[in-house]
Amino acid sequence: MQLRHVRTLLAPQDGTARVTCMAWSASSARFAVCTAERVVLLYDEQGERRDKFSTKPADAKYGRKSYVVKGMAFSPDSTKLAIGQTDNVVYVYRIGEEWGDKKVICNKFIQTSAVTCLLWPAENIIVFGLAEGKVRLANTKNNKSSTIYGTDSYVVSLTSNVSGRGILSGHADGTIVRFFFDDEGSGESQGKLAVHPCPPYALAWASSSIVAAGCDKKIVAYGREGSVIQTFDYSRDSSEKEFTTAATSPSGQSIVLGSYDRLRVLNWSPRRSAWEEGKPKEIAHLYTITALAWKRDGSRICAGTLCGGVEQFDCCLRKTIYKNKFEMTYVGPSQVIVKNLSTGTRVVLKSQYGYEIDEVKILGKDRYLVAYTSDTLLLGDVSSNKLSEVAWQGSGGNEKFFFDNENVCMIFNAGELTLVEYGSNDILGSVRTEFVNPHLVSVRINERQQRGVDENKRLAYLIDIKTIATVDLVGGYNTGTISHDSKIDWLELNETGHKLLFRDKKMRLQLYDIESSTKTTILNYCSYVQWVPGSDVVVAQNRNSLCIWYNIDAPERVTMFPLKGDIVGLERNDGKTEVIVSEGVNTVPYTLDEGLIEFGTAIDDGDYHRAAAFLETLEMSTETEAMWKTLSRLALEARQLHIAERCFAALGNMAKARFLHETNVIADQAAQEHGGDGTDHYLVRARLAMLDKNYKLAEMIFLEQNAPEEAMDMYQELHMWDECIVVAKAKGHPMLEKLRRGYYQWLLDTQQEEKAGEVQEGQGDYLAAISLYLRAGLPAKAARLAMSRDELLTNGDVIDRISSALIRGELYEQAGDLLEKVGNTRKALECYGKGSAFLKAVELARLAFPAEVVKLEEAWGDHLVQQKQLDAAINHYIEARCSIKALEAALGARQWKKAIYILDLQDRQTSAKYYLKIAQHYAALQEYQVAEELYIKGGQTKDAIDMYTQAGLWEQAHKLALKCMSQEEVTVLYITQAQEMERQGKYKEAERLYITVNEPDLAITMYKKCKMYDEMVCLVAKYHKDLLGDTHLHLGKELEAEGRLQEAEYHYLEAKDWKTTVNMYRMNDMWEEAYRVAKAYGGANSHKHVAYLWAKSLGGEAAVKLLSKFGLLEMAIDHATDSGVFEFAFELARLSMKQKMPDIHLKYAMFLEDEGKFEEAEGEFIKAGKPKEAVLMFVHNQNWDAAQRVAEAHDPDSVADVLVGQAQFAFEQREFQKAEAFLLRAQRPELAIKYYKEAGMWSEALRICKEYLPGRLAELQEECGREAGKKGSSGPEGLLEQAREWEQAGEHARAVDCYLKVRDPSNSVLVEKCLLKAAELAVKFLDQSQSMEVTRTVAPQLVAMKKYSLAAELYLNLDLVREAIDALIEGEEWSKAKHIAKEFDPRYEYVDQRYKEYLKKQGKVDSLVGIDVMAALDIYAKQGQWEKCLEVAAKQSYQVLHKYVALYATHLICEGCWDRALHLYSQHGAPANPQNFNIYKRLFVEMVNAPGRNCAEAYTGWAELRDVLLALCENLAKSSEAEPVAQEEFERMLLICHYCAARAAAQGLPQLDTMAAQLSISLLRHTDLLPADKAFYEAGMAAKAVGWENMAFVFLNRFLDLSDAIEEGNLDSLDHSDFQQTDIPFEVPLPAQQHVPEEQREEVRDWVLTVSMDQRLQQVLPQDERGTYEASLVAAGTGVASLPCLLTGYPVLGNKVELRPGREVKKDAWYKFVMAVKTSHSPAGQDVIEFLRRWCGGLPSTSFSFQ
């Protein structure tokens, strides 16, 4: 989280004016600051100061300055403010809900000591700390305070947790105490939590830990039970001061701590479960932060300072704008503020579980919020501010959200519908469905209050397209399932959820009563249907009729009105319900009968008297009849019998009315006798049960009252004889037999033979019963009875009668059963066949007639086919071996896979036509791969190609076509097909066909012909990108020709030719379009040029207006002038900018001048007020008369200029007299002198000067003399001539000067001669000093001209030997230089030294070797020629060689090629030079840190390093200078390398895998030299590989701890308990980086976690007979050290082989290793044995004894 300064709320003062406390209200709408003057300032949310008030002392007599405010907090409802003061009082001020409301003290709590800090965590509860150490609670409801807990130390700070249910107090002695009002199930302890090293003035309780800080400049994070989990130490930072205050973000995931000039930010990282330090906010001159307050929505934090300033900071993680409508401010990982930019309303979206919010969306007409976290889903209704957070496992954002219901959000994901009620944090319900159209799901959540029902939440949805399920969401159970015969396309529950309307695809409207599970069709054609809000009235449209059901309980009662249009809506407000009908362009409202709707409301309210009174006022109609029925039913249920009687009377049901009247009379009598309403009387209850047809209940009531006769009378009256007899029998009634006889006779009289038969059967007279059954025409019943009684089966007559009757009645199956029972199998089989009871027939035939089974199976199949049960027929045909019939049945049943299976068993000729049919089916299902195979099997490959083509799968079609056609045929086929598609207007399909056969040009031509230019351009861009621009231009021209200018513009611009576009619009006089295009696509001034041309085309006033509109008037005038369109320029200037006229005249004059029209130009110059320009024009053209005329007439000052011009022209013509006259007339004699000087006429110049400018005469004469002396100075010839003259005149010094001045780069020979001549003259004729000077001048020039020998001779003439040598050296003439040096200068080594430097500089090292070999070696090294360097060095000495070997090795290591450096020492040996030790150590470090070295392939590298270290150790042993410490360290490195090499050799031999594991484990005792994490990883994995899982678990666990320590940057958290009493070191260097890749670390982490869950492993290391960890060299109890085995690294305890004193191997390990090497011929193993021989000075003989 970043802090960004927003504004200063209160400016700081010059001195101390401490802001003592600050507070934000819970609503975030108010912010309070208490100043040093004890005044509370109130600010609004935007930071504007809106109010203020002064605090009061506890006692007015002590005055305003007798106290300091130490704590301040808002009440949870933001209308009160609690203030704690040091004068032992807490005041509560009511500040009101509006700004400016009167501030009143509503509570006052007097204390025994000063209040030091204060919180208001919950309603009516204020918590504060006192100077005496108590933490007390003040209850604002009863105005009393009490002590929560007491300590002996001053309370310095108070804070609460995020929920406000717990508090922490910090005390002066460092104690931190915790107290919970409600621990919310956390189980955390209360009381003293921790002791901080100093008073925790800065105390914060975050969601994950507690953070404290104070004057020791340390921030300490404590765990939930007080353990230190993190420390941030700034005590060494001199710029940091003590921490004074802290604040936790409302989400609990960030903490800000204040100190001097600085705010530090800590952010909780859920991934690391640790605090991470954010970038601190440093503000110079802010001074100490004395108070912090965090806005409750988390978006702002305010800081108060020692100087009285209050600064506001924005503290969001990031901000985004969503759809330009909402601003989303992420104030923490788990908290987002969503602000509506248009209304300013805000919603704070926060994860209750602290999960990070990933993404926020605003959906459903910008009303609903959806946000994801890793484990939950947040939903919210912005308008009602109801927010929900439910557990949700992410599904990649594939959910679909529906917001049609205001109370609940419907979420569909992967076939599951989930309902979330806004404001609830639990999922309301979840069901499986594939149908998520809002019209196919209906949810009702407490939409209408019902009597006796608190929670009513119902759901209806589709299980499949024809089945509806209804669910009670409160109980979580299904309330019904409705199966329908047609597809359902709309459904909706009523508001109480008891009735469901749904419509099917045939437009039939159905009503389903959920309680009674009855379905009714209420409309056969329905185009619109809706429940009327707030009632159970239904409105629907049936073609041209409006249908209204005022009482849905009687769906047959419907009110209908004719309609002219279609219903479009339903509105109910202001006591009126209207159906809105669209009749063409008008909408007409149809008003419903509100009274009838009101009846339903009365029924729902249970006021049946009101409902009856209302119905009394209505005339009888179908609707009122339905309502009377509903009321009658409800009145009976409520036992309001008088109302029920009235209802039945109104309905004309006189029987029920009379019955109820009699019942009411009984009830009234009972009420008079016993009190109450009489409905509890048994007769009343029994009659109501009878009315409800619940006769059993009535019987029970009578029998309870011991009135069996009344029950019997009831049954007899209803002719329910069976029940009557049962009652009589139960009560032992004397009339029982008489009743039975009467009942039997009555049955016979009423011709109820079946019932009479049942009576006889019950009495055991079976023959009589059978006779009665047969007489009643029920032979099946007779057969059942006969088969159940064995005695009847033996009676042949009875059996014949029954079987004949069954056959007559065509009950063949029952006849077959009977005949089979009596053993007549043949006749039974015939009956089964006639009755199509094939199952029984086949079973019987298998037992009695096996030969007929096949025929029966075929007949069974034929029967099933007739019954349309084709599925079932298939198997029977297969059993009957009728393959063709089976195949046709499978096809008929659409059992395609079965059909394919059967087909595959048939011959090709038979199956071909069937394959085609099945293939067509799979093609229709778009299972093209299967269809293709079937077409090919059926020999119809062409049809397969057609199938792919019709499906648009051109690639598959092409691929298939290529298999069975030639490329040319495929191309012809596709082009023909494409042309057919083209004719049908299916251009896309045609295009794909052309492309498939690589004919894009044909597709382009097609689109061009059809003028489908967009598609054409797409293809050109794809296949002819180089022609795209030309195509656009061509299309643009075509469209322009057709007058489709807008489209032409598009193509011109795509071709990046805006100029053509502009010209097109210009040609069509569409200047505005031309201007638009030029401005959008042209250069900076293009649109200005178009505007100019537009104006020019308009002319006059219109042009001026246009250019003024664009602000281009002046520019246009300038442009016209510059372009030579002077008429237009004059016109514009004349109409609008007269001040520009002179400018235009001037430019016009210049134009005319350029055109050669000088007279016209003269007039324009004069009009422009520039006559001088006209004069200059004539002067320039040498028209002196005209120039003179204009100058005299209009510019007298220019006359002199004319004369000067004439003079200049005369001089050029060499008319000197004439020119002189003009200049003298112009009074310019100095120009005459100048011109004469330039002509070399010095006498004339002197004459003019003497005559007209005598003051300059001396200067001119001197100049004349100089020129004479410099005769011919214009070139070398002149100088040579002058020099020769001087030489002849004997002026040798001047001659030398002249010779030295000769410079001619093109003639070096001449210059050389002059220089030599000058030197010669100087030596011959000048004195020593002058000749020396000339020589020193000439010789360097000769050197520069590469005349080194001449220069050397000159130097030697004057005995300048050193300079002569230097000249020859510079010319690289070394032999001459050496000769001169030897002859003239004994310091001969000077030349040799220079020669060496020269060779070095030139890189001629081979030559240098013979002179200075060390210098040559240095150069080889510098040039990187290391091989040459080492070759030469090797010829010198061992020390020289190893100096350069060390340099080369250092270079290679720096380049990262340490392996080559190692090879270098392997090749040249490893001397015991102390200066090389770091190189050896570096090679060792690089090797052990290198990845991929724990394998058999790494042997060579380990062996090479081992051999180098062995050579080093041997050299150290021989050296007298070697330090024991260094020798011991290198010997350890040698041992490690030997172990690693031996391990690599063992890894190459499978039989030595345990030895390799032992070596990896033994290396752990050297983790002070090896990277610890890598060593433990390798040891753990090796142990795991050989099955030592306990060791593997311990080592890999240690590896994971080390890995975490590397991430944290310290080893403080390592637990060493597993390695006590071992020689594995605890203190190891922390690796700078992870040596094991992340993927492998995760695998180890998973394995360790799995194993730790498994109780079979123990986290202990195995021990040996010493009672010590088996790989430890030191015994735990005795401290006795054993030698390590050189082949396993384990201690050698018993049976051993001593290779030499101090070096041993285990005997079994030695023999095992030697045997493995001998049997495998492993080169690595042999090398290990050879190394041991060298290292130990020999080996024992191998006898292969394993004793």
Side-chain angles (χ1 to χ4, degrees), residues 1293-1361:
R1294 291 191 178 184
V1296 168
D1297 288 341
C1298 281
Y1299 280 128
L1300 290 177
K1301 287 176 184 174
V1302 173
R1303 297 282 185 274
D1304 187 356
S1306 63
N1307 192 346
S1308 59
V1309 176
L1310 174 65
V1311 175
E1312 181 187 336
K1313 284 180 180 177
C1314 291
L1315 290 173
L1316 290 171
K1317 188 69 176 176
E1320 182 189 340
L1321 292 174
V1323 171
K1324 283 182 180 177
F1325 301 107
L1326 302 185
D1327 59 31
Q1328 180 71 21
S1329 61
Q1330 286 178 312
S1331 62
M1332 184 73 75
E1333 185 182 343
V1334 171
T1335 300
R1336 288 190 183 276
T1337 303
V1338 170
Q1341 292 186 50
L1342 289 171
V1343 169
M1345 294 168 69
K1346 300 189 178 178
K1347 302 294 180 182
Y1348 307 109
S1349 297
L1350 292 174
E1353 283 177 26
L1354 283 179
Y1355 281 131
L1356 287 173
N1357 287 340
L1358 294 174
D1359 295 331
L1360 297 172
V1361 179

Side-chain angles (χ1 to χ4, degrees), residues 475-524:
Y477 58 86
N478 260 40
T479 54
T481 303
I482 306 114
S483 295
H484 193 54
D485 58 0
S486 183
K487 293 181 180 178
I488 297 160
D489 70 353
W490 179 90
L491 61 85
E492 188 167 11
L493 291 163
N494 72 337
E495 291 173 344
T496 60
H498 295 127
K499 294 191 186 294
L500 172 71
L501 282 176
F502 64 93
R503 188 181 71 180
D504 60 24
K505 287 285 184 184
K506 296 177 182 175
M507 309 300 278
R508 294 178 299 182
L509 183 62
Q510 311 282 338
L511 173 71
Y512 182 77
D513 187 309
I514 293 170
E515 291 182 347
S516 65
S517 302
T518 54
K519 181 172 74 172
T520 313
T521 303
I522 62 172
L523 210 57
N524 282 320

Side-chain angles (χ1 to χ4, degrees), residues 949 952 954 978 981-982 984-996 1003 1006-1007 1010 1012 1014-1016 1018-1019 1022:
T949 306
W954 318 109
M981 293 283 186
E982 192 178 333
Q984 294 173 13
K986 296 179 179 177
Y987 300 115
K988 270 288 168 197
E989 289 82 350
E991 178 201 325
R992 291 189 67 175
L993 286 168
Y994 283 133
I995 298 303
T996 304
M1006 171 187 75
Y1007 282 132
C1010 300
M1012 295 171 71
D1014 290 345
E1015 290 82 355
M1016 174 186 168
C1018 286
L1019 288 176
K1022 191 171 181 181

Side-chain angles (χ1 to χ4, degrees), residues 148-436:
I148 301 174
Y149 56 86
T151 68
D152 297 327
S153 182
Y154 183 100
V155 182
V156 297
S157 53
L158 265 181
T159 187
S160 68
N161 59 5
V162 175
S163 65
R165 306 285 179 85
I167 59 168
L168 283 176
S169 61
H171 299 266
D173 61 358
T175 305
I176 299 173
V177 180
R178 178 163 62 192
F179 176 80
F180 285 110
F181 299 109
D182 175 7
D183 69 359
E184 303 171 273
S186 68
E188 294 174 12
S189 62
Q190 297 194 123
K192 183 176 176 181
L193 181 72
V195 178
H196 194 64
C198 62
Y201 277 93
L203 184 63
W205 192 348
S207 56
S208 52
S209 64
I210 292 155
V211 174
C215 57
D216 61 353
K217 299 200 275 189
K218 292 180 183 176
I219 302 172
V220 181
Y222 295 96
R224 296 182 186 279
E225 292 302 328
S227 59
V228 175
I229 58 173
Q230 248 180 306
T231 303
F232 298 89
D233 189 351
Y234 305 104
S235 56
R236 293 188 179 86
D237 184 352
S238 59
S239 65
E240 186 60 272
K241 302 287 190 289
E242 63 270 13
F243 293 102
T244 52
T245 181
T248 312
S249 68
S251 64
Q253 292 179 316
S254 295
I255 290 175
V256 170
L257 299 101
S259 61
Y260 181 82
D261 280 357
R262 185 182 287 123
L263 291 167
R264 287 197 180 272
V265 183
L266 298 181
N267 298 312
W268 179 254
S269 168
R271 185 181 63 81
R272 290 184 56 231
S273 295
W275 290 102
E276 293 179 347
E277 189 175 10
K279 184 180 179 183
K281 188 72 179 178
E282 300 188 21
I283 303 176
H285 313 303
L286 190 66
Y287 296 101
T288 300
I289 311 291
T290 57
L292 287 171
W294 213 311
K295 194 174 178 182
R296 298 305 289 272
D297 64 12
S299 63
R300 297 275 192 273
I301 188 168
C302 294
T305 69
L306 185 67
C307 296
V310 177
E311 307 293 338
Q312 193 178 71
F313 299 89
D314 181 285
C315 46
C316 68
L317 293 173
R318 66 180 189 277
K319 282 187 182 179
T320 57
I321 300 295
Y322 188 84
K323 295 183 180 176
N324 288 327
K325 295 179 182 176
F326 295 88
E327 179 187 72
M328 296 188 188
T329 307
Y330 289 77
V331 296
S334 62
Q335 187 168 343
V336 182
I337 301 170
V338 181
K339 179 181 179 182
N340 188 318
L341 295 174
S342 57
T343 63
T345 56
R346 301 194 310 171
V347 176
V348 179
L349 199 61
K350 179 179 177 182
S351 170
Q352 305 297 320
Y353 309 102
Y355 294 130
E356 183 173 348
I357 296 174
D358 296 328
E359 179 185 11
V360 181
K361 297 178 184 173
I362 299 169
L363 307 171
K365 298 179 183 175
D366 297 335
R367 176 175 171 180
Y368 299 97
L369 296 172
V370 176
Y372 293 92
T373 73
S374 58
D375 292 346
T376 62
L377 179 68
L378 288 93
L379 300 163
D381 182 350
V382 175
S383 59
S384 65
N385 207 8
K386 288 182 179 177
L387 303 174
S388 304
E389 182 175 14
V390 296
W392 194 262
Q393 290 306 313
S395 58
N398 295 320
E399 303 89 354
K400 291 182 180 176
F401 297 89
F402 296 95
F403 303 101
D404 300 72
N405 192 307
E406 290 189 354
N407 301 313
V408 68
C409 177
M410 294 187 280
I411 310 167
F412 181 72
N413 179 37
E416 187 166 1
L417 174 67
T418 305
L419 304 176
V420 179
E421 186 178 358
Y422 299 119
S424 168
N425 290 335
D426 294 311
I427 290 176
L428 182 60
S430 183
V431 293
R432 299 288 301 177
T433 178
E434 294 294 333
F435 307 94
V436 288

Side-chain angles (χ1 to χ4, degrees), residues 953-1009:
L953 299 168
W954 318 109
E955 292 78 6
Q956 290 91 325
H958 188 236
K959 195 169 162 187
L960 186 57
L962 285 174
K963 285 181 184 174
C964 60
M965 298 183 185
S966 68
Q967 181 64 52
E968 292 74 16
E969 288 173 329
V970 172
T971 304
V972 170
L973 171 69
Y974 269 62
I975 290 174
T976 308
Q977 184 79 24
Q979 288 166 347
E980 179 60 34
M981 293 283 186
E982 192 178 333
R983 277 194 291 279
Q984 294 173 13
K986 296 179 179 177
Y987 300 115
K988 270 288 168 197
E989 289 82 350
E991 178 201 325
R992 291 189 67 175
L993 286 168
Y994 283 133
I995 298 303
T996 304
V997 292
N998 201 22
E999 289 289 349
D1001 292 349
L1002 291 176
I1004 292 166
T1005 307
M1006 171 187 75
Y1007 282 132
K1008 184 180 178 185
K1009 190 165 66 181

